[in-house]
Amino acid sequence: MISLKIIGCLLDYPNEELWGHRDELIAEIEQAHELRLTQAAALMYFVAELTAEPLLDSQARYSELFDRGRATSLLLFEHVYGESRDRGQAMVSLLEQYEQAGITLSSRELPDYLPVYLEYLSVMPPEQACQGLKDIAPILALLGERLRQRESHYHELFSLLLAMADSDLTLSSLTRQVDGEARDDTPAALDAVWEEEQVTFLADKGCDNSVLTQHQRRFSQSVAPNYIQVGDAPVPPAAKGVTP
């Protein structure tokens, strides 16, 4: 399903190659037979709108959206495991699936990065690709609604992925949940995360007062996005130890 690879490309950090090959990308969308006419038209419009603005402006907006705070992180397991140790094992399992599919990641790519996962699904049989999207549908809906409420046109890509998965979830199905969230990308929230605390050496509590422990405690108290609970929602097969 070439459309999944295209959407993954659009969700990655904007670069000159994307701007330079806009027409070829639109031509590929026209040939993506898995898309309905309205879906293909919406995707082509997104490409045209994205590449109509200066690249530097698009890069700055992208960084504001996806690189500040955790609520809109494109790392899938971030929204399931946070920083727990289970996340590491899930990544190892997912990486093994990629290797079986002939996908080799560069040293800077994490296996749970959404554009990478979409590229993986794009080489799977259609039935497995759709199931792979359904497995992460709760995460897609959560991210999409957060982006919609931030008035970002990127939410349209998440709506499209949910439609391609034939999922019962929509962005609006999570509106009430997102309405009640505290933003974690505001200056105040970011300052709270990095606020310096006094470090006491040779304290009675020993290792509990390490810089790392203080940072982790500070983060957990100041910024707490709503994570998806593993027991409440489907997660990628690798996170459950299942190979497709």
Side-chain angles (χ1 to χ4, degrees):
M1 298 176 70
I2 187 62
S3 56
L4 294 180
K5 187 171 184 178
I6 292 172
I7 294 173
C9 178
L10 295 172
L11 283 172
D12 206 351
Y13 185 72
N15 55 48
E16 293 181 359
E17 185 177 4
L18 176 60
W19 261 240
H21 295 84
R22 178 187 63 178
D23 293 340
E24 292 92 328
L25 196 61
I26 290 177
E28 288 289 342
I29 296 172
E30 292 176 343
Q31 300 300 317
H33 302 299
E34 67 270 16
L35 295 176
R36 296 194 295 270
L37 183 61
T38 54
Q39 293 173 336
L43 192 54
M44 285 188 283
Y45 181 79
F46 181 91
V47 172
E49 184 180 40
L50 178 67
T51 55
E53 63 181 355
L55 176 59
L56 289 177
D57 290 348
S58 181
Q59 290 174 334
R61 187 173 297 108
Y62 183 95
S63 295
E64 287 288 320
L65 281 172
F66 299 113
D67 297 335
R68 295 179 53 141
R70 293 181 169 184
T72 54
S73 170
L74 295 180
L75 298 174
L76 295 171
F77 294 154
E78 172 68 52
H79 303 284
V80 180
Y81 300 113
E83 295 299 324
S84 75
R85 293 182 179 180
D86 292 337
R87 181 179 180 182
Q89 182 55 53
M91 285 191 179
V92 171
S93 299
L94 187 55
L95 187 59
E96 290 174 352
Q97 291 182 227
Y98 291 164
E99 291 174 349
Q100 293 174 6
I103 296 176
T104 302
L105 303 187
S106 71
S107 59
R108 67 179 181 84
E109 293 175 319
L110 292 174
D112 64 337
Y113 183 46
L114 180 55
V116 173
Y117 184 67
L118 292 177
E119 182 175 356
Y120 161 68
L121 293 183
S122 73
V123 301
M124 293 291 100
E127 297 80 8
Q128 291 187 28
C130 289
Q131 183 59 52
L133 288 177
K134 283 187 177 181
D135 288 335
I136 63 169
I139 304 174
L140 297 175
L142 185 64
L143 288 172
E145 179 58 17
R146 285 170 175 166
L147 291 169
R148 188 191 68 80
Q149 292 198 14
R150 298 184 189 192
E151 300 182 346
S152 167
H153 62 297
Y154 276 98
H155 82 271
E156 298 165 4
L157 298 181
F158 290 86
S159 291
L160 178 55
L161 288 172
L162 289 171
M164 294 176 65
D166 195 24
S167 173
D168 293 333
L169 286 173
T170 63
L171 304 192
S172 59
S173 63
L174 293 182
T175 296
R176 292 184 63 183
Q177 175 180 331
V178 175
D179 281 345
E181 292 180 340
R183 291 279 292 263
D184 70 341
D185 63 332
T186 63
L190 295 172
D191 286 345
V193 173
W194 297 109
E195 179 185 15
E196 292 188 0
E197 292 182 357
Q198 180 179 359
V199 178
T200 303
F201 295 97
L202 302 178
D204 292 337
K205 293 184 179 180
C207 293
D208 286 343
N209 279 323
S210 68
V211 176
L212 177 59
T213 301
Q214 290 185 32
H215 171 72
Q216 291 173 333
R217 182 173 66 252
R218 182 164 66 241
F219 184 88
S220 65
Q221 291 174 348
S222 59
V223 182
N226 290 328
Y227 291 122
I228 291 177
Q229 299 300 314
V230 176
D232 296 337
V235 294
K240 297 181 287 187
V242 177
T243 302

